[in-house]
Amino acid sequence: MKKIIYNIISAACLTLPMVSCSDFLEIKPQNEIIMEDFWSEKADVDNIVAGCYAALESDAAIRRMMMWGEFRSENVMAGPDCEKDGNLQNVFKENITPKNFYTTWDVFYNVINRCNTVIKYAPEVAQRDPAYSTSELNATLAEVTALRALCYFYLIRTFRDVPYTTEAYTDDDQEMQLAATPFYTVLDNLIADLERVKSSAIARYPETQPLYQTGRITQDAINAMLCEMYLWKKDYQSCINYADLVINSKKAQAEEKKQKTGRTTQSSELRLKGYPLVNNMRSTSSFGSAFEEIFVTGNSQETIFELMFDNTNAGTTMLSNSACGQWYGNSQADGRVAASNTVVEDAALTNSRTVFDDKNKKLDARIYENFTTGGNVCKFVYRTLSINTSGSDPEASYSTIFRYNYAKINNVDTWYTSSNWIIYRLSDIMLLKAEALAQLMRDGATDEDVAYNTPYRNQAFELVNVVNQRSICKSTLGDDDTLKLTDYSTKAAMEELVLRERQRELMFEGKRWYDLVRRSLRDGNTKTLCQIVGRRDGPNSQLAQNFFGNKSLWNWAIFWPYNYEELTVNKNLAPNPAYGDGNTGNIE
Amino acid sequence: MKILKSIILTMALLLTTAVSAQTITSVHGTVSDDMGPLMGATVVEIDGNGRIIESALTDLNGNFTMKVRNQKDKIRFSYVGLKTVTFPINKSTYNLKLESATQLKEVVIKSKKRAQGNGLPIPEKEISYASQTLSMKEFEGLGLTSVDEALQGRIAGLDIVSGGDLGKGSTMRLRGVSSLSSLTDSNPLIVVDGNIREVNLDNFDMAGANDEKFAELLNINPEDIASITVKKDAAATAIYGSQGGNGVIELTTKRGVRGKPKLTYSLKLTGTYQPKGYEMLNGDDYTMLMKEAYFNPAQNDEAASQFNIPEINYLGNEFSEWRQYRANTDWRDAVTQWGLRQNHYITVSGGGEKASFRIGGGFDHETGTMIEQKLNRFSTRVALDYNISERIRVSTNFALTYTKNKMNYDDLLAIALKKMPNMSIYEKDPLTGEDTDVYYNMLQSGNYIGSEAFKEDQRKYVNPVASAHLAKKDRRTYDMSPELILNYKLLGMDEDHWQLNWRGSVYMNIFNQYDDSFYPQELTTTNYEGGVNTSYTGSSKSVSFNTKQTLTLIPAFTNKDHSMMVLGRFELTSGSSSSQGTSGTGLPSTNLAITSPAAGGLISSVTSGYNQWRSMYYTLSAHYAYKERYIIDATVRADGTTKFGPNNRWGYFPSVSLRWNVIEEPFMKWAKPVLNMLSIRPSWGQVGRQPNQNYLYTSKYGYSDRYIDMSSMAPLNIRLTDLKWEITTSYNVGIDLAFLDDRLTLTLEGYRSTTTDMLMANYRVPSNTGYATIPYRNTGKMRNIGWEFHINTNKLIKAGKFYMDLNANFGNNKNELLEMDEYILDGLNSKFGYNNGEWLRRVQLHNPLGAIYGFKYKGVYQYNYNTFVDMTDEQRRDFLASGKTAPVAMNADGSLILDATGAPKRMVYDYTNDGTGKNYNFNGGDAMYEDLNHDGQINALDITYLGSSLPKLTGGFGFTFTYGDWRLATQFTYRVGNKILNMARLNAEAMTGNDNQSQAVNYRWRKEGDVTSIPRAMHNFSNGPIAYNSLVSDRFVEDGSYLRMSYAQLNYTFKKKQLKWIGLSRIAIYASINNPFVITKYSGVDPDIVNAGYDPAIDNAQTPRSRSYTLGLTVDF
């Protein structure tokens, strides 16, 4: 009997090997890296950080940066091939519904999630990998925090209130249906994040990696973002402070470089008043070198942060810029997006201009840098530009290599360019500072007001004037060629000047619509915006003005609608009231 | 016997306690019977477990002497024909007389037929779940080649669709489809002797793997199978937990039986051929058709020459290849043949008290119905049982199958049906015009001199005869499954004692596969860029290990009204597979002698894979019966799997089933003479399904695009922490009836099963997570409702030497989608692209799956539009009144729609203002579709429901007639009320490309006024006009009802006395026909097509079931 009992016990032992259950059922893939094995050393973190940039410059992201920030403005209209993209057409017709494909935002949240993942796991890596120092960890955290802030900044400028999370999504049981966080709450969070990390970010990358200085987040980039964010927040003094940090840093860098190379300041650079902008003058009668340095070669000295694309024509080592290639044009086809008749005609006319109206008329190099007389977008597309001023009027020529090459990938013609996409450059910051200075001015015209305004006015004017003078195609500037301070004595005039200068300087760089939205939020009305939208080619301007002029909903109408699918799957996301949820299809 | 034995044993035990003290080291004595001393009687000492410790034989005088090892053991005396007796060892001298066994008084032993299989040995009358068992005795002597053939038409609710390809298995659906996921498999689970074959090669595509898994059935020789049980409801499959979600087919193989060794040899000779299907055009008709097809769109005689197609114009010397294009080749005939199959099988079985064995070995040689297909298979199966003692039995099984399959590299039949018939198989001699021995292929693009018209199709079709002979695609597989089983009766050994039995087994499955293929340059017809003389060599290995530990407790109640059994089982599975492959191109080609990629060409790719799986199961199952009248069974199973994350790793699947044997009630006594069974069986159970993919719950990191000079990576997915088991809850009610001592048995089953938490792909999530979709999610709900009925008889009609039996079954299943995430649903539904031959998939809530949608076909427009326009109003009225047709739009009331100028509006296809639609103007000879909404155009809004592919009734029936030594067995299967979308016919009648068409197109519309149902030939030019004559419409939706004779077989067994002179004990010979005819209205080659998942049943011209004739012989030595 004992034996039998023993047998039962031993059988039971065989039957119930509970101990190793959970281990036994744990298996790992042998040909893929999984999270549990991944975050172990600094190289892993670096790889994901690079992945954040790669996602940020993916085709979908660049398209949205181009479109969200500009395509609803009067700068652009439908190009020759546009009918192939109904969603794009509808944007130009100001007929944007929640079902429009370009209202999808997943690419930005993809970057945000990658950043959040790094923020979550990098500290663990620092504990595991002794070679990963605390300062390196902090620099990484600053870098991805800044990238995340940039993505959210794009999102709130486009959609106003957006779902905001700093959680890394790794599991399907996490809370996914997030309600939208209000614009200013998100903005405050972003500012707080950046204020926190700004000092630990890398100021200067090693000289062995010159492309990192402009292609990755630096302290300058964070300061530039803070500068713009404070401007949106209407904290003008902070905006100015951060703009100064950026400007001074760029000045110092330029000075350092000058000393190293032994180059002296050329007389043609004197008009830049010591601001390290790229000189546009090739010779006394030839201009356009700034265009090539900034938009063709890339990583110019005035760049603060730009997304870098492959400059081999096959797109072999990294991504190529297919978004600019298709929308702005390439060597095989005109772009689906063209410079609008409004700006092209404005440039061509001699009188009653609205964009290029400030003094220098046809001498403004940006007329040629931005678009051709036929309306093709020139920035990011043309490879060479030379503006000849030996004749009576300047003449632009685009020599031999007409546009960027395209690549054949897998035997399919893919229209790529290698243009870098610029997010911040110095002239942008200078003009942001000018905008803030103008806001510090008073409206009145009493002597007291004038006395109060003068320092701000002078500073603002100088910034605008430097940017403007850089683009004047004349070797020696006469009094009639440049802007005159006396023309812009009031706050309103200065504000208008800055807005126009920004339009001229940053055309097609995805900034114009955001400028108008910021203006509307500041004014508390859409008067300026409606006026400008009224000049657009394409949409029924009366309808559009009514839409934006709506007294109760204008502050939603100037933003984009949430995507229909997003609204359907996220029950906590309320539709943008100016657009509805996409089921009715009506625009109020 | 048992009772007597135990009485003796008990007495012996009592005696042991009475007498003691004395030490006995050896015993001696005499054994005799009525006739005197016995020589050779066995004397053994056995221990408490019944194990033999010591033994001796009696000598001439019946004397024996034996050493005793342990006094506590017992001594046993036995002799053939005499009663065995056992005594305690309490004395040293035993003189006894054995009684004759035959003289014992009769003891009535109640033996119950019990369920065989993997669960509890429940008496048949107490089975409370839904199952159906086929004893292979029924098929004995039948020339079945595979198990699925035996099952076909025999199991109610089991739908089997067999493919016609050599070595390929069948698709089976038990009680409809209850899962829609791409992550799960819908075939029922195959269990052989309690073991599940786990072969998991990750370089297999899933569809192919299913075929392979089912071809496993072929690897078991039908001769080895003792019985097949199909378990249908959740209560029946409960002991298989998540593995049995689609039903279970349990196979039990034969084992050795006690008796003198028996040698059986069986031989089957089978001839097979493929049913023909559509007659295709010959060369003359084809060239005529092509000329029309090129003429019609352009309405221009120059069209054919414009495209410069010398191949169809019977040119003379100006076209250097002219001799090759004037044949009337029947390509299908050239690639098909009579297939021959020979199956040899030998079994030896036998055994004694201690051991029994069964050894089987077979060799099959088969040539396919397509030329150059060859299959050789060697299989062996060994079953050994050894009784170490009465308590302990060791069994071992070993099965091995080696298959060498020479396959066709290309799908010959598909090519043969498309290939232009005016081309010759062999190159013609330029001088004599006779065939040479070189296969003819269209010339390469480089120096091609013919037309560009065939560039994209005919030139890409390899000469199928050449491909069959020159290309190589071989597959060798080794499949081994050894098993070791130990049975240990821990407590009592009969029903009067509490029994606790332990069964432990270890099972392994080893599967190796080797693939070799070679494609010589002679067959490369398009260009050399992709490489010539390509070759591939690859191998895959899969090893799995399984162990099961089972404890069964059978209490012995003093009150015999109660009976009970409890089973507890632990099971563990672990396995891995790996594969590698190498492809090479540009091999040196010397008469096909060098075919390995290592031979010096360019290695174009090297692949490898690795896969691993593990699982763990606990089962607890109990059975209780009161007075054999009220029965309850309950099972709970816990499944642990690697497929889910730690939270949902374990699934628990309970089931309960009840049975009320009404017939056993006292008030039913009156019915007993006629009715011997009436019972009601309700059951409820839950089963789960797990995905067939591993690592879904892990977060993977992969490479991303580089940035500047930094390599980059990114998290690729959200891990599916929440992913859990797909659960099917089902109810079943069964009624069993049996009449006249089981001469007629009837079973009726009704069921309802609801699948929830379906594992669906591409679930949309808010993208603020960083991801737009997560790969899989539990969502959706679907339901299957159905009923089944089956009848079996046992010598139903008896008249002297004549018996007749029949079996019949039918069933119906209805499914309905109840809930589904709208994005997943949206993703499943296709959007209409307005193309010819494009069918729409519509999956809608509260609708059954498998619905067919398309246009309504009304025939062919007889007259051109212009002819109609040129008529006067009067003529138009007469024209329409006489039933003539022209492509003009009509209002709902049948009046013409006129435009602003008063001209009738022309019927158009997919008209849009901005020109983005197809905007095709119909004309005479075009297909006429019904304009359902009378908007003057045919577009997506005119698409309507055309029928369901779900059959109203499926089933089968069969008759068996026996007269003395003669037996005739027949079996039929049928399906009623289902629709099939015949894409094979659509493609064979489309007349839009250069492919050969069926002879039906000879009746096409050719000139105005023709009354026909086949539209005109309109070639679809890639950048020219495209006609829409072959849109999916009810023209191609056909009734798929059929009645098939599965087999008929005549069998004769020679009487033993006739064979005595040659020393054989049995010869059976038989002749059978398989699949001799199908009665159906369906025009395609075989109506055996069912819908797969949510798609309708579509005939894509798959290889039909072949017809075969078999002659067989079985000899027992």
Side-chain angles (χ1 to χ4, degrees), chain A residues 7 15 18 24 26 30 33-36 39 47 54 105 109 170-172 176 209 212 215 317 565-566, chain B residues 488 570 610 614 618 649 699 701 705-707 709-711 713-714 719 721-722 764 766-768 823:
Chain A
N7 282 337
T15 317
M18 297 289 281
F24 180 77
E26 196 76 58
Q30 310 248 323
I33 303 163
I34 64 167
M35 187 202 278
E36 288 75 9
W39 297 98
N47 274 325
W105 60 26
Y109 278 108
T170 53
D171 291 52
D172 64 348
M176 295 177 174
Q209 291 290 2
Y212 285 10
T317 57
E565 290 194 15
E566 227 46 68
Chain B
Y488 199 152
F570 166 74
Y610 179 81
R614 285 173 183 175
Y618 293 92
R649 197 155 271 169
S699 179
Y701 282 71
D705 300 298
R706 292 169 65 89
Y707 186 69
D709 61 352
M710 301 181 278
S711 65
M713 292 188 84
R719 54 183 166 190
T721 316
D722 243 8
R764 182 75 166 85
S767 55
N768 47 280
Y823 279 96

Side-chain angles (χ1 to χ4, degrees), chain A residues 267-313:
Chain A
S267 60
S268 58
E269 285 176 83
L270 291 174
R271 62 171 74 176
L272 302 179
K273 303 258 171 65
Y275 287 98
L277 295 176
V278 179
N279 187 8
N280 200 30
M281 203 193 298
R282 275 204 192 86
S283 68
T284 50
S285 63
S286 176
F287 294 82
S289 58
F291 173 88
E292 284 181 32
E293 207 171 321
I294 298 168
F295 300 108
V296 182
T297 315
N299 305 305
S300 67
Q301 64 168 344
E302 77 173 74
T303 295
I304 297 158
F305 180 47
E306 65 187 45
L307 291 169
M308 216 161 286
F309 287 94
D310 196 352
N311 53 10
T312 64
N313 75 346

Side-chain angles (χ1 to χ4, degrees), chain B residues 432 506 545 593 694 937:
Chain B
T432 61
V506 174
F545 166 88
N694 266 316
Q937 64 155 324

Side-chain angles (χ1 to χ4, degrees), chain A residues 1 3-4 7-8 11 14-18 21-36 38-39 46-48 50-51 53-54 57 105-106 109-110 113-114 117 121 163 165 169-173 176-178 209 211-212 215-216 306-308 317-319 563-566 568-570, chain B residues 49 51 391 488 490-491 500 502 549 551 568-570 572-574 608-610 612-616 618 640-642 646-647 649-650 694-695 697-701 703-715 717-723 764-772 774 776-777 822-823:
Chain A
M1 208 59 187
K3 204 176 173 188
I4 289 167
N7 282 337
I8 294 171
L14 276 169
T15 317
L16 306 163
M18 297 289 281
C21 265
S22 50
D23 291 348
F24 180 77
L25 294 175
E26 196 76 58
I27 56 173
K28 282 179 183 174
Q30 310 248 323
N31 39 15
E32 270 161 323
I33 303 163
I34 64 167
M35 187 202 278
E36 288 75 9
F38 185 74
W39 297 98
D46 291 344
N47 274 325
I48 302 292
Y53 286 103
E57 67 164 4
W105 60 26
D106 46 302
Y109 278 108
N110 186 13
N113 192 51
R114 289 183 189 194
T117 312
Y121 291 105
T165 178
Y169 279 94
T170 53
D171 291 52
D172 64 348
D173 56 355
M176 295 177 174
Q177 299 192 3
L178 301 180
Q209 291 290 2
L211 297 181
Y212 285 10
R216 293 179 68 171
E306 65 187 45
L307 291 169
M308 216 161 286
T317 57
M318 54 190 279
L319 282 169
N563 187 260
Y564 168 73
E565 290 194 15
E566 227 46 68
T568 317
V569 291
N570 186 350
Chain B
N49 289 329
R51 196 193 326 230
R391 290 188 183 279
Y488 199 152
L490 295 166
L491 295 175
L500 181 65
W502 172 66
Q549 310 297 331
L551 274 175
R569 173 177 296 151
F570 166 74
L572 186 144
T573 306
S574 154
S608 70
Y610 179 81
Q612 192 185 14
W613 63 95
R614 285 173 183 175
S615 50
M616 217 184 242
Y618 293 92
T641 174
T642 55
N647 304 344
R649 197 155 271 169
W650 287 91
N694 266 316
Y695 318 128
Y697 62 90
T698 55
S699 179
K700 293 168 208 161
Y701 282 71
Y703 289 94
S704 166
D705 300 298
R706 292 169 65 89
Y707 186 69
I708 309 181
D709 61 352
M710 301 181 278
S711 65
S712 94
M713 292 188 84
N717 65 322
I718 283 193
R719 54 183 166 190
L720 305 180
T721 316
D722 243 8
L723 198 70
R764 182 75 166 85
V765 291
S767 55
N768 47 280
T769 56
Y771 304 89
I774 55 176
Y776 295 99
R777 179 94 168 185
E822 72 179 282
Y823 279 96

